[in-house]
Amino acid sequence: MWRRRLLPLVLSTCILAVWPGWSTAGLLPQNSSEQVEITFWDSIKDSRNAGDYEAYLKTYPNGRFAPLAKARIASLRASASGASSASSTTSAAPAHVPAAPPASPTGAPAPAPAPIPVPPTQRAQPAPPARPAAATPSTAGHEIKDCAACPALIEVAPGSFTMGNNKNDPSEKPAHVVTIAHAFALGKYPVTIAQWNACVAAGACQRLTDIADHDQNAPAHNVSWDDAQQYVKWLTKASGKAYRLPTEAEWEYAARGGTATRYWWGDQMSQGKANCKDCGQPWRADGPNAVGSFAANPLGLYDMGGGVWEWVSDCWHSSYKNAPVDGRAWDQPYCEARVIRGGSWLDGHDYMLSSTRFKYDQSVRYTANGFRVAREMK
């Protein structure tokens, strides 16, 4: 009946609890800051990534688990330091020891509104969303590249589609028709580590941690919403074009690629379509694969499901009630929690649905969060 999810637990007042009268396979939010903190901790308590505990301490500096979080950080760093020292004294070629080992797929928190989603063990299969009221583009637009360092873009034609899903997650309701009146361009891939590093070299972006040994063509991750804003500001200056993050409506419109099914490829999971831990090969536990390793959707956009969660411009709202129907960003003053879409390599296939949405505090960096860019076609 309900798809089981964790909601993002960063400076929010939502927790997951089973409401009386609903199936135990479904979870709904309740207000309890204490339970928010407990659920946050439960989602990271087995992690071997120091950054997870740092994220907890940033949100709950005086929390009930703060002493344990500090101890875990010290232990992980001491272990990494000791391993590095031992490696440097051996005559054999030293093996690389990361500063903080990445979380295992079973112990990583699940970004269902808390750091990285803990994959559910039981989840009811949702019915497909309502069919769109008007045609959406089903073929790829032309490719655009505004400068040597700029990400490749795909033109997305205007059109209408049904956004959201009236089954399962309350945050995806109500399904509603959105009409995007003007063409826009969207990144063919998420922004890569190499592209991010071009911004770092220009002195406009901060160097990302825990990605030094990753493929430079892998998506940039461990990126906050604020970091992404720095990047698009630099890209705008470098290219002379007005870059930005996509709106949530633009993102889902493009992710669906003219489809109205659960996934862009249909209503059933299909191996090899997305970079997630049970989506088929290629897959690796320690980081996302290089962009473009999996099939593109009908618009020629890669990795709209899996790889990294992608920041969009909108402020988080707990449902689509009163959401704009013209595709613009749904913002509000003093917003702290922003929407992320698409799922990551650490999640299961149930997070690859075109309608899946979560949130994160905009200043928090988390290992599975990245982004792709957009701009107007004017």
Side-chain angles (χ1 to χ4, degrees):
M1 178 183 295
W2 291 85
R3 240 180 342 194
R4 195 169 188 168
R5 293 222 178 128
L6 291 177
L7 294 181
L9 303 173
V10 195
L11 298 180
S12 71
T13 56
C14 290
I15 68 162
L16 296 179
V18 179
W19 280 19
W22 293 102
S23 164
T24 55
L27 299 177
L28 290 175
Q30 291 182 351
N31 290 328
S32 168
S33 58
E34 181 180 12
Q35 286 301 321
V36 170
E37 181 186 355
I38 292 171
T39 309
F40 191 156
W41 178 257
D42 284 345
S43 72
I44 68 167
K45 64 183 180 181
D46 297 320
S47 175
R48 291 185 53 78
N49 188 338
D52 297 346
Y53 302 107
E54 290 168 350
Y56 168 84
L57 289 172
K58 182 172 182 178
T59 306
Y60 302 103
N62 299 310
R64 63 168 60 193
F65 304 108
L68 183 54
K70 293 174 183 177
R72 292 278 176 85
I73 292 169
S75 175
L76 288 168
R77 287 178 175 166
S79 176
S81 177
S84 297
S85 298
S87 176
S88 65
T89 59
T90 181
S91 58
H96 171 72
V97 180
S104 70
T106 56
I116 274 187
V118 177
T121 56
Q122 295 179 346
R123 207 179 260 190
Q125 295 297 320
R131 297 285 163 177
T136 59
S138 58
T139 57
H142 73 279
E143 187 171 322
I144 303 162
K145 194 167 176 65
D146 292 324
C147 67
C150 292
L153 306 174
I154 296 293
E155 180 179 1
V156 180
S160 299
F161 76 112
T162 298
M163 182 175 182
N165 184 354
N166 279 332
K167 307 292 183 182
N168 312 298
D169 193 329
S171 77
E172 297 173 15
K173 299 178 181 180
H176 57 291
V177 174
V178 174
T179 298
I180 297 176
H182 303 288
F184 63 98
L186 187 65
K188 184 176 182 179
Y189 311 102
V191 171
T192 66
I193 293 173
Q195 289 164 346
W196 179 269
N197 284 341
C199 180
V200 173
C205 292
Q206 296 181 346
R207 190 170 301 279
L208 300 178
T209 59
D210 300 329
I211 63 169
D213 295 322
H214 287 252
D215 185 337
Q216 292 294 293
N217 204 37
H221 52 287
N222 205 23
V223 179
S224 71
W225 188 89
D226 291 337
D227 292 333
Q229 293 298 323
Q230 288 183 339
Y231 180 86
V232 295
K233 183 178 180 179
W234 168 75
L235 198 60
T236 295
K237 184 176 181 180
S239 67
K241 302 289 186 179
Y243 278 84
R244 55 178 175 81
L245 292 179
T247 70
E248 185 176 14
E250 288 172 341
W251 192 98
E252 185 170 328
Y253 176 67
R256 290 185 177 280
T259 69
T261 47
R262 297 176 67 221
Y263 311 96
W264 64 256
W265 56 82
D267 286 324
Q268 302 300 319
M269 181 57 198
S270 181
Q271 295 290 299
K273 296 292 189 182
N275 185 199
C276 84
K277 72 175 187 178
D278 59 359
C279 292
Q281 296 301 318
W283 180 80
R284 46 185 290 179
D286 61 346
N289 287 83
V291 299
S293 297
F294 295 80
N297 78 355
L299 298 187
L301 298 166
Y302 290 82
D303 308 312
M304 296 298 285
V308 291
W309 287 93
E310 298 180 12
W311 291 106
V312 295
S313 57
D314 299 45
C315 188
W316 171 261
H317 295 81
S318 59
S319 77
Y320 287 133
K321 184 179 180 180
N322 301 319
V325 295
D326 58 1
R328 72 181 186 275
W330 193 10
D331 213 342
Q332 67 184 47
Y334 312 111
C335 178
E336 292 182 332
R338 299 284 173 174
V339 179
I340 51 174
R341 300 294 302 255
S344 82
W345 87 94
L346 285 171
D347 305 316
H349 68 268
D350 282 347
Y351 291 97
M352 305 299 110
L353 274 64
S354 298
S355 60
T356 296
R357 59 194 300 259
F358 297 116
K359 65 177 178 177
Y360 244 90
D361 185 277
Q362 69 180 50
S363 65
V364 170
R365 291 174 175 166
Y366 194 72
T367 188
N369 293 350
F371 68 105
R372 74 178 69 215
V373 298
R375 74 163 176 83
E376 305 300 332
M377 287 299 299
K378 298 176 182 177

